[in-house]
Amino acid sequence: MCGIIARIGADDGVDRLLGGLERLEYRGYDSAGIAVENGVGLAVQKCSGQVNELKESVSDSGIYGGIGIGHTRWSTHGPPTDDNAHPHTDSSGDVAVVHNGVIDNHAELREELKAEGREFTSDTDTEVIPHLFERHLEDHAPEEAFREAVRDLDGSYAIAAMVEGEDAVFAARRGSPLVLGVGDGEYFLASDVPAFLEHTDEVVYFEDDEVGVIRPDDVELSTLAGEPVERSSEIVSWDPEETGKGGYDHFMRKEIETQNTSLTNAIQGRIDDEGEEPDLDDFPAGTFEGVERVQFVACGTSFHAAKYGAQLLNKAGVAAQAFRASEYDDAIPVDSDTLVVAVTQSGETADTLGALDRATAGRARTVAVTNVVGSSAAREADDALFIRAGPEIGVAATKTFSSQVVALSLLAHRISADAAGDSPWDDPRAYYDELKRLPDHVQTVLDREIAEGVADDYLGSDAFFFIGRGLAYPVAIEGALKFKEITYEHAEGFAAGELKHGPLALVTPQTPIFTVVTGGEDETTVTNAQEAQTRGAPIVAVSPADHRITDVADAHLPIPDTHPDLAGLLANVQLQLLSYHTADSLGRSIDKPRNLAKSVTVE
């Protein structure tokens, strides 16, 4: 979940390193650092805290260099201190390393290396890597020494390393993302494309157990065993301006407000001319014949989108379940008649990739639903469906959730038509007509925004409950997740019918109940909300304007009339705005909430 950046070129690249780190802070912001080769040795500057603090110390130090590596950290081993910040060096200071991932055998390696007299100064697992590199440099040239050091490691890693006197960055990957950017007279390495997108959109993705040696005028890729690798570069379609705030106070606010664009991209060209079928290039009619069951695997917000997709399939008579990827183990039956759909925004979520591996081992067919072309999930699954949301920088997922749900709804129609000969919708044309209007409906919610006032009215409440039934349930638990992520307030999401089976004991007049109703089968949801209201809790309805819940609600967040199976996405926008304004009023770090990172690449 940490962020890696490297820049390899002839002129000074420190500003590019620092700019890359700023664009990677969504991956970690406990500490940061850089190392550069300046012609007389390796200069290392690092500190606990955020990148702007590093920039100040770099400015004071005056370090420079054309070849360098950088890192912004999300702590796994050891607290966020100056000593635990990356880059880490060997005993002599001749080797510098940045690393993302977890070295499983670091404790054993540390004891071996300490027995040889090598001194450690941090609590991190990463520090074994420069010491191993140093050890192998005693017997090998730098490239082979690096390769030998990597062979000693068990676990997951993306590594970028430098050696004094070598005009090169050495890189390796296993289980953590690493991408090469091919610029004009310079190269970049990063854990994510936005780090260097303003400089180049030409990329080469590293695959597991590959090693790279990147010099200012040359790149050599090979396997860990030393076999050469030839791979063509790709062009990333993202606009560099998408990685900036564009005048907004926060990335999250920008990403909420640009959902109409991301949804347009998710839908465009994916509905047939008659408006009654999905038109997915990689999934023509008949693709999923023989599928008997569908299993979704995902984490966090993606899991909530997966639950939405599973409910749509169940409506069409296809057996479908959504599993938290971290709980998807060998006890879950899977065979060649099973379709496993991995839902992951980044395509690099460690638990989801692990679930994908288990599905493949069980002979299941696999599909990745992701935002990132070239990601591990997209490459490892049998097929991929891209949500086309563009870069999302705020840690709390917003536009990617809505784009995931849209992509999953299209996939659900294709699966159900092939596997069950049926559709999740009684009137597909009516659904697709409303799907085309969805971006405009989202814009209507944004144009008529009243969430700030509702947020102010309930500021200071003891707890915040979110309830829904059917397709409104995934929206309710997503609303609660978003709220707790960025406000740090106690929020919980419940299936509406479960409120009376325990949670009602927590209800007080200081516990607003945000009640999501979509115009479907939600009469009982109104009753459940009223049960809480009789105990003093205020009801905040998130519903179409003409829904009967507005007659009993204490406050109302309205959504436009639409198909019941799409109403949840409009309710979700209202709940995103509610969370945003509450967090803003509380002075929270909205884009970088405490203890969280965007892409969870460790298990």
Side-chain angles (χ1 to χ4, degrees):
M1 296 189 290
C2 308
I4 287 174
I5 180 68
R7 189 268 182 176
I8 305 94
D11 56 340
D12 184 43
V14 169
D15 285 346
R16 282 171 162 75
L17 288 173
L18 294 172
L21 289 179
E22 286 181 312
R23 288 183 289 277
L24 286 172
E25 274 198 288
Y26 61 90
R27 298 184 66 94
Y29 36 88
D30 292 341
S31 58
I34 63 170
V36 294
E37 171 64 63
N38 60 17
V40 295
L42 293 184
V44 177
Q45 197 78 22
K46 61 181 185 175
C47 64
S48 61
Q50 299 187 359
V51 173
N52 61 345
E53 297 171 72
L54 174 67
K55 289 178 71 175
E56 291 179 9
S57 64
V58 167
S59 177
D60 293 340
S61 70
I63 66 172
Y64 65 92
I67 299 174
I69 56 178
H71 189 269
T72 182
R73 183 170 183 252
W74 186 85
S75 302
T76 53
H77 292 82
T81 63
D82 290 355
D83 285 341
N84 288 335
H86 297 216
H88 289 288
T89 58
D90 64 336
S91 301
S92 65
D94 292 339
V95 173
V97 169
V98 294
H99 160 240
N100 186 14
V102 175
I103 306 303
D104 294 336
N105 61 337
H106 74 97
E108 305 96 292
L109 291 170
R110 178 181 285 251
E111 290 307 309
E112 284 180 26
L113 293 161
K114 287 172 70 175
E116 296 172 6
R118 304 180 196 277
E119 296 183 5
F120 284 76
T121 60
S122 80
D123 304 314
T124 69
D125 57 336
T126 300
E127 197 180 357
V128 301
I129 303 173
H131 288 294
L132 288 169
F133 200 168
E134 177 190 38
R135 172 204 275 177
H136 291 296
L137 280 169
E138 295 169 3
D139 300 310
H140 300 284
E143 180 178 349
E144 186 55 32
F146 177 73
R147 198 182 300 276
E148 288 291 336
V150 172
R151 288 177 182 139
D152 291 336
L153 305 176
D154 294 333
S156 63
Y157 51 77
I159 301 168
M162 300 173 63
V163 182
E164 183 178 348
E166 290 289 323
D167 291 336
V169 169
F170 302 88
R173 172 220 156 110
R174 178 189 292 163
S176 286
L178 194 61
V179 58
L180 174 73
V182 182
D184 183 10
E186 61 184 345
Y187 293 98
F188 297 88
L189 275 172
S191 42
D192 209 349
V193 172
F196 55 73
L197 188 57
E198 70 171 278
H199 304 298
T200 181
D201 59 0
E202 185 178 354
V203 302
V204 177
Y205 292 96
F206 277 66
E207 297 194 359
D208 279 353
D209 295 319
E210 289 185 348
V211 172
V213 181
I214 303 98
R215 300 181 176 87
D217 57 357
D218 181 50
V219 174
E220 295 178 7
L221 280 181
S222 60
T223 66
L224 190 54
E227 296 295 323
V229 171
E230 297 291 336
R231 182 170 302 122
S232 299
S233 61
E234 306 175 28
I235 300 300
V236 176
S237 60
W238 291 349
D239 183 342
E241 291 187 5
E242 292 185 80
T243 63
K245 288 182 183 176
Y248 291 91
D249 291 337
H250 302 93
F251 281 110
M252 184 180 180
R253 179 73 199 202
K254 175 187 174 184
E255 287 153 5
I256 291 171
E257 294 217 10
T258 55
Q259 283 180 100
N260 57 341
T261 300
S262 58
L263 286 168
T264 297
N265 293 337
I267 296 165
Q268 195 168 38
R270 288 178 163 176
I271 302 172
D272 73 348
D273 293 338
E274 286 71 36
E276 296 183 348
E277 288 283 337
D279 186 5
L280 304 175
D281 291 341
D282 295 328
F283 305 97
T287 297
F288 299 108
E289 287 179 359
V291 169
E292 293 187 1
R293 70 195 64 83
V294 180
Q295 296 172 350
F296 294 88
V297 292
C299 300
T301 288
S302 295
F303 172 73
H304 302 155
K307 286 190 71 67
Y308 209 113
Q311 292 212 27
L312 288 174
L313 282 171
N314 286 329
K315 284 177 62 176
V318 178
Q321 286 179 278
F323 294 92
R324 297 186 188 276
S326 58
E327 298 295 319
Y328 188 79
D329 56 28
D330 295 336
I332 297 169
V334 59
D335 56 26
S336 58
D337 297 324
T338 306
L339 175 67
V340 175
V341 181
V343 187
T344 161
Q345 182 275 135
S346 66
E348 304 293 349
T349 308
D351 287 324
T352 305
L353 292 175
L356 200 56
D357 289 342
R358 287 188 285 278
T360 299
R363 298 179 296 116
R365 181 171 178 184
T366 57
V367 173
V369 176
T370 182
N371 195 35
V372 184
V373 177
S375 63
S376 295
R379 295 197 310 270
E380 293 176 15
D382 296 324
D383 297 289
L385 179 62
F386 297 103
I387 67 171
R388 303 173 176 172
E392 185 176 68
I393 307 302
V395 167
T398 51
K399 64 177 181 173
T400 54
F401 173 77
S402 54
S403 294
Q404 283 174 334
V405 170
V406 165
L408 288 171
S409 71
L410 294 165
L411 186 63
H413 194 156
R414 170 51 56 225
I415 293 169
S416 60
D418 291 346
D422 204 350
S423 165
W425 305 290
D426 295 330
D427 185 352
R429 182 183 292 276
Y431 176 82
Y432 284 117
D433 283 347
E434 290 302 309
L435 182 61
K436 293 173 186 175
R437 296 188 184 101
L438 182 62
D440 290 338
H441 285 152
V442 167
Q443 192 59 49
T444 297
V445 173
L446 296 168
D447 290 344
R448 301 174 182 175
E449 180 185 336
I450 62 169
E452 184 173 6
V454 174
D456 289 344
D457 288 344
Y458 295 101
L459 204 64
S461 295
D462 294 339
F464 301 79
F465 286 0
F466 297 75
I467 65 171
R469 181 181 300 268
L471 288 171
Y473 171 55
V475 175
I477 56 178
E478 169 61 12
L481 175 63
K482 212 58 51 201
F483 200 90
K484 70 181 75 172
E485 277 181 319
I486 65 168
T487 70
Y488 314 155
E489 299 293 293
H490 180 209
E492 297 292 342
F494 304 103
E498 290 302 299
L499 196 61
K500 58 185 176 290
H501 294 290
L504 205 57
L506 300 173
V507 164
T508 73
Q510 289 298 308
T511 315
I513 310 294
F514 294 89
T515 306
V516 182
V517 290
T518 61
E521 298 175 3
D522 45 34
E523 281 302 308
T524 311
T525 302
V526 179
T527 300
N528 299 143
Q530 288 181 288
E531 290 166 350
Q533 192 180 44
T534 62
R535 275 79 178 174
I539 296 175
V540 181
V542 190
S543 73
D546 59 354
H547 196 284
R548 85 168 189 87
I549 194 173
T550 60
D551 296 332
V552 298
D554 299 279
H556 182 217
L557 291 171
I559 61 175
D561 288 325
T562 187
H563 194 284
D565 291 351
L566 295 171
L569 288 176
L570 301 175
N572 178 64
V573 177
Q574 287 283 26
L575 296 181
Q576 290 171 351
L577 292 166
L578 173 80
S579 299
Y580 174 83
H581 287 299
T582 303
D584 197 32
S585 294
L586 293 170
R588 306 304 193 211
S589 178
I590 291 175
D591 288 333
K592 296 178 283 189
R594 68 186 181 198
N595 303 332
L596 301 178
K598 183 70 175 173
S599 179
V600 186
T601 58
V602 295
E603 292 184 305

